[in-house]
Amino acid sequence: MGKDSSNIINQIVDQDVRKAIENLLAGSSEKEITKAADVIVKDFGASSALFSKEADDFAEKLISSFQKNLTLLIQKTWVEEADADLKDQVLYKLAEYCKVISKGKWSNAYAEFLQIISDVVYLMFGAMTKTDDFMEYALRIDPEFGLFWYYIKSLPTEGAEMDNDKSRVVMLLGMYFLANY
């Protein structure tokens, strides 16, 4: 990200949220991870803590809502003919991803989660998503979506170093935003 993107990030993304994302990724205890996730999810519009291990019923409902809403978003997104195959692939990957995480295999699905999100955002915005300016664009046109994109781009591209519980929280945060966007 360039200097301009850093400035707009500092203007739009609350410092507490930026710190919470850092703490989430650096955290090793359930308490640290949940505390950081609570700050982030409140900025995503939730009113209370949602990501404790005891919230399995919530996670199950969220997975279902996420899959339905994202499927609808993908289906309704107009794409160039050249991207029609990608659209079909993403719908297939989404269904397979949701099957895996429904079985509790969160860390196994981390890379797939990031790929699905990147592909969906590409289908929505096109090649612009591959530019350095997209973060600034996203933050300016829709600060809520821009915050989400900032969160996604803050995540490590490889999830191998994350255990299953942290992977679960990281993905549920992204899913929560998209299920409620």
Side-chain angles (χ1 to χ4, degrees):
M1 286 179 262
K3 182 182 171 196
D4 291 339
S5 291
S6 294
N7 288 338
I8 193 80
I9 289 167
N10 290 335
Q11 290 172 11
I12 294 178
V13 180
D14 187 78
Q15 181 179 358
D16 291 340
V17 174
R18 293 191 314 266
K19 186 69 176 161
I21 292 170
E22 289 175 26
N23 292 342
L24 172 68
L25 298 175
S28 56
S29 73
E30 181 181 353
K31 184 178 178 181
E32 291 171 318
I33 293 166
T34 302
K35 183 178 176 184
D38 287 345
V39 172
I40 298 164
V41 80
K42 285 178 183 161
D43 231 51
F44 282 175
S47 59
S48 64
L50 303 170
F51 300 111
S52 68
K53 285 183 186 176
E54 295 78 33
D56 287 339
D57 186 44
F58 166 76
E60 189 176 311
K61 289 177 183 173
L62 182 57
I63 293 167
S64 175
S65 179
F66 168 75
Q67 184 174 8
K68 288 176 189 170
N69 288 354
L70 204 54
T71 297
L72 185 60
L73 177 66
I74 295 164
Q75 289 172 338
K76 298 285 184 189
T77 299
W78 181 87
V79 296
E80 297 287 339
E81 192 173 321
D83 290 328
D85 285 343
L86 177 60
K87 190 174 178 177
D88 291 338
Q89 290 171 10
V90 174
L91 287 168
Y92 175 78
K93 286 180 189 177
L94 176 62
E96 293 302 307
Y97 165 78
C98 289
K99 286 179 193 175
V100 170
I101 61 172
S102 291
K103 295 175 184 173
K105 297 180 181 179
W106 295 90
S107 59
N108 294 359
Y110 179 81
E112 194 68 27
F113 171 75
L114 291 178
Q115 187 62 57
I116 289 167
I117 299 303
S118 291
D119 287 346
V120 169
V121 172
Y122 172 81
L123 290 172
M124 292 170 58
F125 293 97
M128 176 184 261
T129 61
K130 309 287 185 200
T131 69
D132 291 340
D133 296 336
F134 184 67
M135 177 67 68
E136 182 178 348
Y137 174 79
L139 286 163
R140 287 188 190 276
I141 63 158
D142 185 345
E144 288 178 4
F145 176 78
L147 170 61
F148 166 73
W149 192 242
Y150 173 77
Y151 170 73
I152 292 298
K153 293 315 248 177
S154 297
L155 299 176
T157 55
E158 297 297 323
E161 67 277 357
M162 274 194 245
D163 65 21
N164 204 56
D165 291 334
K166 186 186 273 191
S167 293
R168 176 183 177 272
V169 170
V170 164
M171 287 188 268
L172 284 174
L173 281 165
M175 292 168 59
Y176 179 83
F177 179 86
L178 287 171
N180 293 287
Y181 183 65

